[in-house]
Amino acid sequence: MKYWLMKSEPDAYSIEDFKKEKACLWDGIRNYQARNFMIKEMSPGDSFLFYHSNCKPPAIVGLGEISKQAAPDPTAQDPKSKYYDPKSTAERPIWECVQVKYKKTFKNPLSLTEIKENLFFKDMLLVQRGQKLSIQPVSAKHFNKILKLTE
DNA sequence: GCCAACGTTGGC
DNA sequence: GCCAACGTTGGC
């Protein structure tokens, strides 16, 4: 059982959208490191923190679960999608995505500012300089602490 | 809107 | 294979 943090811009897809849809494909990931986490490291049953990025305030706002292992990302082969990648074909797909399901919205979202202020989180990837991966592993220690602080 | 930090692309 | 130019991310 592993733990993750996944970023989404609320203007594009927010925790409220996620709650309404109950489940979705985590599509549109076009970064190899993030993709490899989905393909090689994620398993159904893993939990992830839903993070609102590029907004005010950036914060961890909810919880989800990986519900289906990685499979080719349909948006990569859809010419109408903004995530369309002509190099990725049905025969040789480049990009994959996992399916995720909604678990909960936190009563008390944990803002990036609060995470930075708390020395307990000083090793979290999220607060490392220059760290911009949209999918990151989270340690059990940090994950459990975040669940406590957000209740 | 600015810009630092990275990742990717493509000429050589 | 190097590296400059360009694009993207995302906090501020």
Side-chain angles (χ1 to χ4, degrees), chain A residues 3-6 14-16 18-19 47-52 58-65 101-111 114-115 121 124 126 138 142-151:
Chain A
Y3 305 101
W4 305 93
L5 179 145
M6 314 226 277
S14 70
I15 189 77
E16 290 80 17
F18 192 28
K19 183 177 185 178
S47 293
F48 73 96
L49 302 165
F50 193 108
Y51 179 85
H52 276 170
I60 295 172
V61 294
L63 183 68
E65 184 181 308
K101 65 179 177 192
Y102 173 84
K103 298 296 274 188
K104 63 157 62 171
T105 303
F106 291 139
K107 285 197 202 79
N108 304 301
L110 187 63
S111 73
E114 291 172 294
I115 296 168
F121 297 120
M124 262 190 99
L126 188 67
V138 175
H142 289 145
F143 182 84
N144 289 322
K145 181 77 165 180
I146 288 163
L147 286 194
K148 285 208 185 74
L149 292 174
T150 49
E151 272 314 296

Side-chain angles (χ1 to χ4, degrees), chain A residues 91-109:
Chain A
E91 294 73 34
R92 302 191 63 179
I94 298 173
W95 305 110
E96 303 207 6
C97 59
V98 291
Q99 189 184 75
V100 293
K101 65 179 177 192
Y102 173 84
K103 298 296 274 188
K104 63 157 62 171
T105 303
F106 291 139
K107 285 197 202 79
N108 304 301

Side-chain angles (χ1 to χ4, degrees), chain A residues 30-145:
Chain A
R30 297 292 178 268
N31 169 283
Y32 285 101
Q33 222 179 328
R35 181 205 68 171
N36 289 344
F37 279 136
M38 289 198 287
I39 296 176
K40 297 178 179 170
E41 309 271 347
M42 279 184 187
S43 319
D46 286 0
S47 293
F48 73 96
L49 302 165
F50 193 108
Y51 179 85
H52 276 170
S53 68
N54 206 6
C55 60
K56 286 175 187 173
I60 295 172
V61 294
L63 183 68
E65 184 181 308
I66 311 302
S67 49
K68 208 172 153 198
Q69 72 179 66
D73 181 342
T75 64
Q77 287 157 53
D78 175 3
K80 291 192 295 290
S81 169
K82 71 171 193 168
Y83 301 118
Y84 177 58
D85 181 352
K87 294 200 294 296
S88 185
T89 63
E91 294 73 34
R92 302 191 63 179
I94 298 173
W95 305 110
E96 303 207 6
C97 59
V98 291
Q99 189 184 75
V100 293
K101 65 179 177 192
Y102 173 84
K103 298 296 274 188
K104 63 157 62 171
T105 303
F106 291 139
K107 285 197 202 79
N108 304 301
L110 187 63
S111 73
L112 181 62
T113 311
E114 291 172 294
I115 296 168
K116 282 182 168 169
E117 281 168 0
N118 190 336
L119 282 181
F120 187 84
F121 297 120
K122 70 178 191 315
D123 295 330
M124 262 190 99
L125 274 181
L126 188 67
V127 297
Q128 303 311 305
R129 182 182 167 81
Q131 181 52 69
K132 301 212 159 170
L133 260 185
S134 66
I135 295 179
Q136 313 181 349
V138 175
S139 71
K141 176 183 109 159
H142 289 145
F143 182 84
N144 289 322
K145 181 77 165 180

